[in-house]
Amino acid sequence: MRLLLAAITGLLLATTLPVAGQDSTRPQQLTDLLALAAVHNPASIDSLILDMTHAGERLVAVGAYGTVLLSDDEGASWRQASVPVQVTLTAVSFPTPDKGWAVGHDAVILHSADAGESWHKQLDGWATGDLLLTAAEARMEQLGGDPDADMVLVDMADMALEEAERELEIGPNRPLLDVWFRDELYGVAVGAFNYYFVTEDGGRTWQDRSLTLPNPEALHLYTIAAIGGNTLLIAGEFGLLLRSTDGGHLWTAVDLGYEGTLFSVSGQNGSAWVAGLRGNAFYSADSGENWQAVSLGVETTLLEACSLSADTAVFAGLGGTLLRFNKTEQLVEAVGRPGGGHISSIMMLPDSVLIAGVTGIQRISLEGEQQPVSYRNGG
């Protein structure tokens, strides 16, 4: 979902900028946004915000130009954190109140150990090429010694080797789109063209494990989510849905009978929802083993799903679409009046709904009334 929304806003390829004052008739020197700290700007609260999460009772939001916003009053006011990059941040995960991770363009992975106040870089696209190459060479060596090796696996390894060499040659060129951490040690980051990186030591080291996924066409991986127990789901391009029942070590492909792109996954206690293009959504009551289509009565693309209970979820997407669906009653109802801006992330609070997207952060009451949101400097 974040890749689509970033593309809509013209930010997908915004990884470098020409140096100010340089002669435009000569080859331009490019400034690496991975090396520039995010600028504190009151306008950030009205700019592209792609994801939100809880860090204990604190709220954390991430978005364009390396923006990380923090709120300690349920979204009424926000202040900016110190961030060492200016690339677009696409997703954020806090498995504990203090420790969290954010990912974004140019394969950046950031870590905070102080509830989002400050961040440091653990990985970026200048280093991922080496990780891709190590994994691809190891798989090629393994398959080369097996005369009965599956040719699909050989082709995948060969393609991964070519991509690694390309990344080493040109540097950062594709985004990470989502991140999920089980605890403060084990986490997964996914992204474009089958990016799949895993850490088991809190991000001190990362490994490319893309070749362990049943994704031979290297389709984009848009989102990853836990839906209860050790079951994880990854959703992506052309109906790609991957399922793991052991916490992310082994994955199998799930056939939804649908070939449209999926942008969001949400679930709890074994029930799960996925949603994507043209209002298509699916529901599973058995930890993602079996699925059925649900009719939401809209044809706009859905970028976010938020599970509220075993049979109820809220969906959001393009054009300000925001609706609640109850599967038992087959009831669809609009939630508030968020306006026409595309919505990338929603958060249900006790007395309000937070909405994030191309117009920044909005806050509405459960009755649909707009509530004030402010930017403040300092702590």
Side-chain angles (χ1 to χ4, degrees):
M1 66 181 174
R2 290 133 184 127
L3 185 65
L4 174 69
L5 196 57
I8 289 171
T9 57
L11 289 167
L12 178 59
L13 299 179
T15 56
T16 53
L17 293 173
V19 174
Q22 188 168 30
D23 184 352
S24 62
T25 64
R26 304 177 62 184
Q28 291 185 334
Q29 178 184 354
L30 297 180
T31 299
D32 183 5
L33 299 185
L34 290 166
L36 294 177
V39 177
H40 284 229
N41 183 356
S44 61
I45 198 171
D46 299 315
S47 302
L48 177 68
I49 298 296
L50 290 171
D51 196 22
M52 300 182 291
T53 194
H54 282 92
E57 296 185 0
R58 171 172 289 176
L59 307 182
V60 182
V62 301
Y65 309 114
T67 295
V68 175
L69 295 171
L70 310 175
S71 175
D72 294 308
D73 54 13
E74 295 195 337
S77 65
W78 298 81
R79 56 190 173 84
Q80 266 184 275
S82 298
V83 179
V85 299
Q86 287 187 18
V87 295
T88 295
L89 300 177
T90 55
V92 60
S93 173
F94 270 80
T96 75
D98 293 324
K99 295 187 177 181
W101 284 260
V103 300
H105 288 188
D106 290 351
V108 72
I109 299 179
L110 304 177
H111 174 54
S112 173
D114 56 9
E117 296 286 351
S118 62
W119 298 78
H120 73 270
K121 188 166 48 177
Q122 288 188 334
L123 185 70
D124 63 29
W126 294 113
T128 52
D130 287 324
L131 300 182
L132 296 174
L133 184 65
T134 297
E137 288 180 338
R139 178 56 66 92
M140 289 293 286
E141 182 177 356
Q142 177 190 30
L143 296 174
D146 182 2
D148 299 319
D150 187 329
M151 289 308 300
V152 172
L153 298 181
V154 174
D155 289 343
M156 287 177 63
D158 187 58
M159 182 167 60
L161 187 61
E162 292 180 2
E163 184 57 38
E165 293 170 345
R166 177 176 179 272
E167 197 152 309
L168 285 169
E169 178 181 356
I170 68 175
N173 67 97
R174 49 179 164 156
L176 288 166
L177 300 172
D178 205 0
V179 59
W180 168 82
F181 267 76
R182 180 187 64 201
D183 50 41
E184 61 185 49
L185 294 178
Y186 183 81
V188 177
V190 301
F193 301 105
N194 203 41
Y195 255 168
Y196 180 71
F197 293 101
V198 177
T199 181
E200 296 179 347
D201 56 12
R204 286 189 291 275
T205 61
W206 289 86
Q207 295 179 328
D208 166 40
R209 295 186 184 173
S210 58
L211 289 173
T212 67
L213 299 181
N215 183 16
E217 297 180 13
L219 301 175
H220 298 327
L221 309 177
Y222 285 105
T223 185
I224 180 171
I227 61 170
N230 289 319
T231 301
L232 302 175
L233 296 174
I234 293 175
E237 276 190 295
F238 302 119
L240 179 70
L241 185 63
L242 307 179
R243 177 174 179 256
S244 172
T245 59
D246 62 2
H249 298 285
L250 297 175
W251 293 87
T252 58
V254 177
D255 184 5
L256 287 178
Y258 171 70
E259 296 182 354
T261 295
L262 302 167
F263 295 111
S264 185
V265 171
S266 182
Q268 55 181 300
N269 301 321
S271 65
W273 310 81
V274 296
L277 288 176
R278 295 181 294 276
N280 284 281
F282 299 83
Y283 172 77
S284 173
D286 57 5
S287 298
E289 187 170 353
N290 296 286
W291 294 84
Q292 56 183 294
V294 296
S295 177
L296 300 177
V298 297
E299 294 185 357
T300 53
T301 292
L302 301 172
L303 302 174
E304 178 75 313
C306 179
S307 174
L308 301 183
S309 67
D311 65 350
T312 305
V314 174
F315 298 89
L318 300 189
T321 300
L322 183 63
L323 53 89
R324 182 188 290 110
F325 175 72
N326 182 282
K327 182 179 180 298
T328 301
E329 300 176 3
Q330 290 295 301
L331 177 65
V332 180
E333 57 181 334
V335 179
R337 296 178 180 178
H342 305 316
I343 300 172
S344 60
S345 182
I346 53 178
M347 182 177 290
M348 305 298 294
L349 300 174
D351 300 316
S352 60
V353 182
L354 281 182
I355 302 164
V358 296
T359 57
I361 297 176
Q362 299 179 62
R363 185 169 171 254
I364 61 173
S365 70
L366 299 181
E367 291 74 34
E369 297 178 356
Q370 199 79 24
Q371 298 178 333
V373 175
S374 64
Y375 177 98
R376 60 188 179 90
N377 294 311

